[in-house]
Amino acid sequence: MATAEILSKARDQKRTVLTEIEAKQILGEAGIPCTKTVLAATREEAVSISEGIGYPVVLKVSSVDISHKSDAGGVKVNLADRAAVETAYEEIMASCRVYAPDADIEGVSVQGMAAKGTEIIMGMIRDASFGPVVMFGLGGILVEVLKDVSFRIVPIEKADAIAMTGEIQGRKLLEGYRGQDPADIARLQDMLVKLSDFVDRTPGIEEIDMNPVFAYRDGAVVVDARIILSP
Amino acid sequence: MMELFFNPKSVAVIGASGTPGKLGYVIVKNIADSDFAGDLYPVNPKSDEILGYRVYRSVSEIPGEVDLVVTALPTPKLTVATMQECAAKGVKAVIIESAGFAEMGGDGTLYQKQLVDIAAAHGIRVMGPNCSGIVSRNIVTSIYPMTKKVPDGNVVLIGQSGLLAAGMASDIVENESLSVSKVCSIGNKCDVNENDLLEYFGNDPKVDVISMYLETISDGRNLTRIAKRVAAQKPVIFLSGGRTEAGAKAAMSHTGSIASNAKIVEAAVRQTGMIMADDFTELKDFAKVFSTQPLPRGNRIAVITLAGSVGVNVSDLCAAHGLELPKLTPETTDQLKDLFDTPVGNPVDLYFSVTKIGFTKTLQTTFPDAFRDPNIDAAVLILAGFEYTQEAVQKKIIQQIVKDVGKPVVVCMIVGYNRYKHVILDELGKDLPVFPSLISGVKALSKLCEYGSRRYKASA
């Protein structure tokens, strides 16, 4: 039961922010597909894990003290071979040490490079009166500018998830627009129900971001995830 | 427990007064004038008799059990002391009408906390403080003088603000515009909240429609759970204050930065199947439509009008509110062809028919034929204020047709308000939902169709 262990470890360390690796492990255990993400503590480990996952890969700094990984120069994508991974590892470490000299850096997370799909955001927040609430929307610019998202109060049923995906203004984009592949809407709905089930049975979760989720014709995968625990 | 509030066998009014106009007088008079047939005990240390009732110095002096205590005392401190007396007496239900509690902040919050603590320690249910309690046939605890008896209707209203709920109740009862059975004001909701009432009225087979206004939501998670169950059985019309974007809290996640109070409340309304009202008039208007009209199976509307231009406007409004105006079946158009120079369409323009056979005859033929058409789920009937409209209303011709056809209708009035407002809006308005504007009628009908379609799909 990795989830319980991760949560109690974070509590022991008085942390409310989980690392991306922890967040994906928890979501994965909840039945929500995430890109394979493995911690590498050294450059050599980064290479061997990359070879295990298969190129191209993404390297992201893994530190509970660095939440804005891109700003810290802690993200390198589309690394196609061993040499690229080695260089990226060194660059990430150097940049992050400058960005946050006191940060406790446990290494980098090595992730498979997910093929680009329809960009989705899913998440959860805890409302003072309604308790946990889940969110669904189109990711990227659409969520930033138009806030084209739908919410439901936890626990949700399949019918609620269907309403959530059908309610957003940009739902046509999910159905495949101008030659773009349609998104696997049924899978997205299933992920929403699993997200709701997870937060309903797991106390102490304050906020979750799954942003972006890439949705494909067949299936969908969480590319980046963030979990905040209640104080 | 809620029964003690709505059907008490004995009631004590603390802070009762013998001076007409004072709140403590109005409450006693309202209870006396209601159908309440149990023991009424006014309590006031300085009076002997109020409205013919013997007055007691304190709650503890009252002989026998007291089911319900209503307090209207000048200070929070006195109210807290009275709560203690109620606890000692074994009272289990208290309505606290006085203000000066959590809504004031500071000491008021502390006084309210004391009320809650006493209630919790002694198993007392408290409605209020800062409320006007209940307006019903069986008991009226509000501070608005009631001029007529509350109808034994099928609608309940739940509100927070005491003055607003009491004022709305008084208006509705006075002009007989809505068949209410109970209006409740729950004020600061220190104990009894909307969820208690929603559950209680949800289980009451005599309640067909629940209309609810909330400034704050006590327990949204439970509200969602209860409202979902209740709204599947009877319409729950919901108006929520404080629906602001500013409600979004400082959040660490992207999701948290987008979520706002308004969006979450709207999501809850959709999720539960409640019907969102946007103002107080709609709370009543929607309740009127839902409580008097059968549920349609769909959203296909016949618009019946005397003027083509009005029909165009209504068609646009229907489209904007998700209502369809289908063609009538050939059988219906064929049946009506002799009354019209051109084939009858939808909107059904009665003008030609009226010129041939007169208004009343037209109403009796064209209206029911179009209304009965199998392509039609509901109708918007537009009435202009003319002498012949008055006649049709007074002879109850419209009411009879609607009853015979058995489908839902809303009536919208255009022109002629000066002379015929009373007969169309008020008199016809007692039997049918009549609206002073096209948009208000169309919107109300769209809510009925939305709910009706959902219920029909759920049952199919």
Side-chain angles (χ1 to χ4, degrees):
Chain A
M1 188 63 196
T3 301
E5 275 167 36
I6 291 166
L7 294 177
S8 78
K9 184 174 137 203
R11 291 269 177 238
D12 289 346
Q13 295 173 347
K14 310 238 178 290
R15 277 195 287 138
T16 55
V17 182
L18 301 186
T19 66
E20 185 183 342
I21 296 173
E22 291 170 327
K24 284 180 173 170
Q25 263 182 294
I26 287 176
L27 293 172
E29 201 167 85
I32 297 167
C34 301
T35 47
K36 191 167 166 79
T37 302
V38 182
L39 178 69
T42 64
R43 192 178 68 176
E44 289 65 37
E45 260 182 48
V47 169
S48 69
I49 292 165
S50 299
E51 283 170 0
I53 291 175
Y55 295 106
V57 294
V58 178
L59 259 53
K60 293 182 192 172
V61 65
S62 186
S63 165
V64 293
D65 300 315
I66 301 175
S67 53
H68 298 286
K69 297 186 279 268
S70 296
D71 296 352
V75 181
K76 301 279 176 187
V77 301
N78 214 6
L79 308 170
D81 55 27
R82 175 189 191 109
V85 168
E86 286 176 348
T87 312
Y89 184 92
E90 295 302 344
E91 285 177 2
I92 286 173
M93 287 302 159
S95 172
C96 289
R97 286 200 187 101
V98 173
Y99 176 82
D102 299 328
D104 184 6
I105 299 173
E106 58 175 353
V108 296
S109 67
V110 183
Q111 314 181 6
M113 180 89 190
K116 182 92 177 146
T118 306
E119 224 175 303
I120 304 289
I121 181 171
M122 291 186 196
M124 165 266 169
I125 55 125
R126 186 172 290 275
D127 179 81
S129 176
F130 285 92
V133 175
V134 288
M135 184 186 88
F136 171 85
L138 287 162
I141 287 178
L142 289 162
V143 68
E144 301 278 348
V145 180
L146 301 176
K147 297 187 178 173
D148 185 13
V149 294
S150 54
F151 293 90
R152 284 296 181 275
I153 318 300
V154 170
I156 67 165
E157 296 169 12
K158 187 71 188 281
D160 298 314
I162 291 169
M164 286 178 85
T165 56
E167 203 171 274
I168 56 167
Q169 301 291 314
R171 61 187 166 271
K172 277 214 167 119
L173 296 173
L174 294 176
E175 291 156 10
Y177 192 69
R178 290 204 176 178
Q180 202 191 338
D181 266 359
D184 188 341
I185 299 172
R187 177 65 61 89
L188 295 172
Q189 291 159 350
D190 178 60
M191 288 164 76
L192 285 167
V193 172
K194 285 187 166 135
L195 176 65
S196 164
D197 289 348
F198 165 67
V199 296
D200 197 34
R201 66 172 179 259
T202 315
I205 309 281
E206 192 71 8
E207 299 173 39
I208 297 177
D209 264 346
M210 291 152 44
N211 182 27
V213 174
F214 283 161
Y216 309 109
R217 185 181 286 278
D218 187 11
V221 66
V222 177
V223 176
D224 196 356
R226 211 168 144 71
I227 294 181
I228 315 282
L229 306 180
S230 304
Chain B
M1 270 310 250
M2 299 311 290
E3 276 294 302
L4 290 180
F5 287 100
F6 295 105
N7 294 305
K9 292 192 185 67
S10 51
V11 180
V13 179
I14 322 282
S17 166
T19 311
K22 288 215 165 180
L23 301 185
Y25 174 87
V26 178
I27 295 172
V28 175
K29 177 133 190 358
N30 276 340
I31 297 175
D33 290 348
S34 74
D35 277 2
F36 176 73
D39 298 315
L40 177 55
Y41 305 114
V43 175
N44 183 326
K46 290 176 213 148
S47 309
D48 296 319
E49 187 246 286
I50 293 173
L51 288 163
Y53 294 91
R54 184 188 153 184
V55 176
Y56 294 82
R57 314 261 151 218
S58 68
V59 179
S60 41
E61 203 186 83
I62 296 170
E65 280 187 23
V66 176
D67 277 352
L68 174 66
V69 163
V70 182
T71 75
L73 291 164
T75 70
K77 207 173 167 179
L78 278 172
T79 307
V80 171
T82 296
M83 263 303 274
Q84 247 139 9
E85 266 190 76
C86 289
K89 173 80 183 162
V91 174
K92 294 297 173 202
V94 178
I95 298 176
I96 299 173
E97 308 210 3
S98 330
F101 292 89
E103 82 281 4
M104 304 289 286
D107 284 351
T109 308
L110 296 177
Y111 283 120
Q112 186 163 318
K113 172 84 170 46
Q114 291 176 30
L115 295 178
V116 171
D117 290 345
I118 298 167
H122 297 89
I124 305 171
R125 298 305 312 262
V126 179
M127 197 178 280
N130 187 27
C131 74
S132 63
I134 297 162
V135 175
S136 73
R137 183 110 180 166
N138 283 349
I139 186 161
V140 178
T141 69
S142 97
I143 48 166
Y144 241 83
M146 299 299 288
T147 46
K148 288 184 185 171
K149 286 227 166 142
V150 179
D152 196 12
N154 57 351
V155 178
V156 294
L157 296 181
I158 302 168
Q160 271 191 260
S161 155
L163 267 180
L164 185 83
M168 276 173 79
S170 167
D171 286 354
I172 290 167
V173 172
E174 171 79 33
N175 60 28
E176 299 171 31
S177 55
L178 186 63
S179 184
V180 292
S181 64
K182 295 177 183 76
V183 180
C184 305
S185 140
I186 48 180
N188 293 4
K189 306 191 287 190
C190 84
D191 174 36
V192 171
N193 64 25
E194 61 272 23
N195 293 341
D196 294 302
L197 295 182
L198 196 55
E199 188 127 55
Y200 179 74
F201 293 136
N203 290 331
D204 183 346
K206 287 173 77 181
V207 174
D208 291 332
V209 179
I210 300 169
S211 229
M212 176 158 71
Y213 166 64
L214 299 176
E215 289 151 51
T216 57
I217 292 169
S218 295
D219 176 354
R221 189 172 156 94
N222 252 326
L223 174 70
T224 307
R225 185 179 60 79
I226 297 167
K228 191 171 178 177
R229 185 177 61 75
V230 175
Q233 295 155 11
K234 54 185 85 170
V236 178
I237 299 153
F238 184 76
L239 171 61
S240 161
R243 279 194 277 146
T244 57
E245 291 298 316
K249 62 173 176 172
M252 296 186 71
S253 67
H254 209 118
T255 307
S257 69
I258 306 167
S260 67
N261 181 262
K263 292 199 178 104
I264 292 170
V265 170
E266 278 163 31
V269 169
R270 289 186 175 172
Q271 189 167 353
T272 55
M274 291 192 287
I275 296 124
M276 178 90 88
D278 286 322
D279 76 351
F280 296 109
T281 308
E282 286 190 352
L283 267 188
K284 289 187 286 181
D285 284 355
F286 294 175
K288 175 80 182 184
V289 174
F290 277 96
S291 63
T292 59
Q293 300 305 299
L295 286 180
R297 291 176 167 195
N299 65 342
R300 301 168 307 166
I301 307 303
V303 172
I304 317 288
T305 175
L306 265 167
S309 59
V310 179
V312 172
N313 187 201
V314 177
S315 305
D316 291 345
L317 289 171
C318 284
H321 286 87
L323 299 175
E324 285 174 28
L325 269 65
K327 279 189 178 139
L328 302 179
T329 56
E331 288 74 22
T332 307
T333 37
D334 200 48
Q335 212 169 330
L336 292 171
K337 70 175 188 300
D338 294 341
L339 301 175
F340 292 85
D341 291 346
T342 51
V344 64
N346 184 14
V348 183
D349 189 341
L350 301 182
Y351 181 76
F352 297 103
S353 177
V354 171
T355 54
K356 288 186 179 169
I357 58 172
F359 184 69
T360 303
K361 225 41 225 211
T362 295
L363 269 184
Q364 285 168 330
T365 54
T366 313
F367 176 34
D369 283 349
F371 201 9
R372 276 202 184 93
D373 190 289
N375 281 354
I376 297 302
D377 296 312
V380 177
L381 174 65
I382 295 153
L383 291 181
F386 293 123
E387 183 58 36
Y388 54 66
T389 326
Q390 170 164 301
E391 198 186 302
V393 169
Q394 283 167 345
K395 288 185 178 162
K396 295 207 180 261
I397 290 168
I398 298 165
Q399 295 94 315
Q400 190 58 45
I401 294 168
V402 170
K403 199 175 158 200
D404 290 346
V405 174
K407 290 181 185 177
V409 69
V410 296
V411 179
C412 298
M413 181 177 185
I414 46 149
V415 310
Y417 296 97
N418 292 342
R419 284 194 65 182
Y420 299 100
K421 178 178 168 293
H422 174 71
V423 70
I424 297 182
L425 287 180
D426 301 341
E427 198 174 326
L428 185 61
K430 282 177 192 168
D431 301 321
L432 293 173
V434 184
F435 294 87
S437 71
L438 301 175
I439 192 166
S440 54
V442 168
K443 189 173 175 189
L445 185 60
S446 77
K447 298 289 178 179
L448 187 77
C449 292
E450 175 196 317
Y451 183 78
S453 305
R454 206 160 54 218
R455 283 281 296 269
Y456 182 65
K457 271 182 211 145
S459 70

